[in-house]
Amino acid sequence: MSNRVIINADVAKGRINKNIYGHFAEHLGRCIYEGIWVGEDSPIPNTNGIRNDVLEALRGLDIPLLRWPGGCFADEYHWKDGVGPRESRKRMVNTHWGGVVENNHFGTHEFLMLCEMLGCEPYIAGNVGSGTVQEMQEWVEYMTFDGESPMANWRKENGREKPWKVRYFGVGNENWGCGGHMRPEYYADLYRQYQTYVRNYGDNKIYKIACGSNDFNTYWTEVLMREAGRYMDGLSLHYYVVTGPAWENKGSATEFTEREWFTTLQKALKMDEVLTLHSTVMDKYDPEKRVGLIVDEWGTWFDVEPGTNPGFLYQQNTLRDALVASVTFDVFHRHCDRVQMANIAQTVNVLQAMVLTEGEKMVLTPSYHVFEMYKVFQNATALDLNVQSGFYDMDGQSIPSVSATAAKSEDGTICIGLTNLSHNEEAQISVELRGDAGARAYSGRILTSAAKNDRNTFERPDAVKPKPFVQFETAGGVLSAKLPPMSVVVLEAKAQA
Ligand code: AHR
């Protein structure tokens, strides 16, 4: 199969906000507890309670920002329960996720410390569904006010003298569902009210994110933009890749047919249509694109691993998940004029995770490797692209066999992402760089494996990992390459002196 990509290096399409490489960590299953937080007294090596192996792994991704504490958990979280001496913090039931006891040992101070350790921005999701306006106002005051006030004084008593910088604040989560089952008209009014009290203290300027829609529901977007657009900086959107015949039967993360491989990628590519639909509605009310589209939950959602708590959403992660990640990033890059942030669900041990843990063991997933390979696109300038792809057919349906993206990074390197979606066919590809003067030296890495469900396990942690990619030639500004089936390649073309 022959494919052609023309990169117009002299036509910039906009900046790829590094925040689309953001993450999401909820109090759900073993994401926070065990996955990130083990406590200072744990035998698992840790720094101030945060496990060292996970910390080091996440540092390797240059995570720009982390969303917390939910998810559905956000709208039943009362932040005051999670500050002060840990031994006297309230214990509560995590009703959404397995009905387990939440001891609140990981709270505001611990989360903001984690962000400092990762060098990333915090993105806090506030409680609208079961919280009060006052509670939300006081949380912002507690975290960001530098002066004399009840909340700032309490923060100091709890050991933090200086306020933190908190730029991103979400006013509720899925308020059409677990966050209160509201109608958009009702939530739009609540949003207007709650956001009024999300104050900017000193030079801490908050980027306010309203709860947005899910999948293809543009009615919610329409109402929110019409009624509250002027009070928000961002509007969220959730889109999960869920296949399978029913919610109770989403299919296994590891045992799947070729047809399921195809359907999963087909559904991932639909992100393009979803973004176009919502962006078009937003364009109507905000042609200047002032309001960012914030895809603050995305990723694959399969059945939990057999024998694990159904409320913990623990799933393994294969090469298929890795390709979902790469083609989704390609879509985000195409929409970089509107999409200003995205957060993979979720960072550790939940859904499409970067990292899995079992006691003191940790493993990096194939998805992790795509995030690591693609980090060269953070803050790069997306370049105009013409992709002439062959077709990948299955049972009378077709999707492109190749997905591509290209961008120029801040140091002038041209970065190219290529994915061969086919489960069984190689893709011969030519990449033409036009509008670019001077010679370039190419280097690349590839992520692939022999079987479509190959994955990293605690026994074989390096089964799927990136390797140098050398199957290409360059001549006269054209790169010719052969992509193996089921592969993700990232090439870097550095200007030669
Ligand atoms: O990521 C898991 C859940 O999916 C989140 O808590 C919720 O917002 C969404 O429905």
Side-chain angles (χ1 to χ4, degrees):
M1 201 180 294
S2 190
N3 307 272
R4 185 174 179 213
V5 175
I6 303 166
I7 300 170
N8 294 309
D10 51 354
V11 184
K13 299 300 280 184
R15 182 166 158 270
I16 298 168
N17 194 324
K18 67 176 178 179
N19 289 342
I20 72 160
Y21 290 87
H23 286 254
F24 169 38
E26 181 169 9
H27 288 237
L28 195 178
R30 296 181 301 115
C31 182
I32 295 291
Y33 298 107
E34 185 191 317
I36 292 173
W37 176 260
V38 288
E40 286 142 356
D41 302 330
S42 170
I44 297 176
N46 68 84
T47 306
N48 303 334
I50 309 282
R51 58 187 294 167
N52 291 343
D53 50 0
V54 172
L55 193 60
E56 194 193 319
L58 297 182
R59 280 180 175 147
L61 296 181
D62 295 350
I63 288 182
L65 104 181
L66 185 58
R67 177 175 184 246
W68 173 86
C72 294
F73 183 78
D75 283 275
E76 61 178 353
Y77 182 61
H78 300 283
W79 70 271
K80 290 181 185 174
D81 298 346
V83 297
R86 272 187 217 114
E87 55 290 353
S88 49
R89 291 186 195 173
K90 268 191 203 158
R91 291 160 70 81
M92 65 180 275
V93 187
N94 189 334
T95 49
H96 274 292
W97 305 120
V100 294
V101 173
E102 160 66 58
N103 64 14
N104 275 305
H105 280 195
F106 189 89
T108 302
H109 288 251
E110 290 78 13
F111 171 66
L112 293 168
M113 172 186 73
L114 169 65
C115 291
E116 286 177 342
M117 288 165 139
L118 289 172
C120 76
E121 301 242 28
Y123 167 16
I124 302 265
N127 180 348
V128 172
S130 71
T132 64
V133 176
Q134 182 181 356
E135 196 179 351
M136 188 176 285
Q137 177 184 31
E138 288 180 339
W139 200 3
V140 175
E141 180 188 321
Y142 185 94
M143 293 185 288
T144 64
F145 183 59
D146 193 4
E148 171 83 29
S149 85
M151 291 302 117
N153 292 351
W154 193 25
R155 181 192 71 230
K156 290 174 198 167
E157 279 166 33
N158 288 335
R160 174 79 184 197
E161 183 64 27
K162 281 283 155 203
W164 292 276
K165 285 268 176 269
V166 176
R167 180 156 151 73
Y168 299 99
F169 197 93
V171 179
N173 169 77
E174 294 197 353
N175 301 95
W176 39 262
C178 62
H181 294 108
M182 299 172 194
R183 294 173 307 114
E185 294 79 4
Y186 179 67
Y187 171 74
D189 278 346
L190 280 189
Y191 173 77
R192 290 165 63 126
Q193 180 190 5
Y194 275 69
Q195 68 78 33
T196 306
Y197 303 92
V198 174
R199 305 276 189 207
N200 291 325
Y201 291 106
D203 62 356
N204 188 72
K205 174 96 179 60
I206 291 189
Y207 183 99
K208 296 175 188 173
I209 300 171
C211 164
S213 183
N214 189 35
D215 295 353
F216 297 87
N217 177 1
T218 49
Y219 181 65
W220 182 279
T221 306
E222 177 89 37
V223 175
L224 262 289
M225 288 303 292
R226 188 181 68 221
E227 304 299 337
R230 61 189 176 283
Y231 301 107
M232 64 178 77
D233 300 300
L235 180 63
S236 73
L237 173 70
H238 290 179
Y239 180 72
Y240 283 98
V241 173
V242 187
T243 54
W247 187 252
E248 300 69 37
N249 183 7
K250 294 182 282 299
S252 160
T254 54
E255 302 308 317
F256 50 86
T257 61
E258 287 161 5
R259 169 80 224 190
E260 288 172 289
W261 166 278
F262 176 92
T263 309
T264 304
L265 293 174
Q266 184 183 43
K267 183 94 198 265
L269 291 173
K270 282 227 176 269
M271 177 69 93
D272 192 51
E273 191 183 327
V274 172
L275 295 180
T276 302
L277 281 172
H278 292 282
S279 300
T280 306
V281 175
M282 293 174 82
D283 285 349
K284 178 172 151 195
Y285 296 95
D286 174 36
E288 308 297 324
K289 300 187 193 293
R290 183 191 63 78
V291 179
L293 185 52
I294 307 298
V295 190
D296 59 15
E297 291 185 27
W298 70 274
T300 56
W301 193 324
F302 300 115
D303 291 339
V304 298
E305 288 306 305
T308 65
N309 186 329
F312 281 14
L313 309 187
Y314 176 71
Q315 65 191 42
Q316 245 291 2
N317 192 294
T318 69
L319 187 59
R320 176 174 63 161
D321 297 82
L323 268 73
V324 167
S326 65
V327 303
T328 304
F329 283 136
D330 298 351
V331 174
F332 288 155
H333 294 178
R334 285 203 287 283
H335 288 268
C336 67
D337 57 342
R338 181 65 85 177
V339 176
Q340 298 303 332
M341 188 202 295
N343 307 75
I344 184 73
Q346 298 192 8
T347 313
V348 189
N349 288 336
V350 169
L351 299 177
Q352 190 175 349
M354 303 294 105
V355 164
L356 304 176
T357 66
E358 195 179 85
E360 78 292 349
K361 289 183 271 182
M362 185 202 75
V363 73
L364 308 179
T365 65
S367 296
Y368 175 98
H369 292 304
V370 169
F371 273 69
E372 191 277 322
M373 289 164 74
Y374 264 63
K375 69 185 183 186
V376 292
F377 290 103
Q378 292 190 17
N379 279 347
T381 301
L383 299 175
D384 186 59
L385 213 59
N386 182 326
V387 183
Q388 297 161 25
S389 167
F391 293 103
Y392 173 26
D393 302 319
M394 179 74 66
D395 300 342
Q397 297 193 329
S398 246
I399 56 176
S401 54
V402 165
S403 172
T405 190
K408 193 181 260 191
S409 64
E410 280 159 347
D411 71 356
T413 303
I414 293 184
C415 310
I416 304 164
L418 301 169
T419 301
N420 179 3
L421 286 74
S422 170
H423 69 275
N424 59 357
E425 282 193 42
E426 280 187 342
Q428 183 64 46
I429 191 161
S430 72
V431 182
E432 301 169 32
L433 201 52
R434 65 148 297 287
D436 180 62
R440 288 189 175 265
Y442 286 82
S443 63
R445 284 192 299 158
I446 183 167
L447 187 76
T448 188
S449 201
K452 61 188 184 315
N453 62 347
D454 277 348
R455 54 195 175 270
N456 295 330
T457 61
F458 298 102
E459 295 70 41
R460 292 184 64 224
D462 288 328
V464 185
K465 66 172 190 185
K467 301 198 170 68
F469 179 65
V470 289
Q471 280 175 297
F472 65 85
E473 294 166 1
T474 51
V478 181
L479 175 141
S480 308
K482 206 174 264 179
L483 307 179
M486 308 182 292
S487 62
V488 181
V489 167
V490 174
L491 294 158
E492 290 187 51
K494 288 199 188 294
Q496 285 183 311

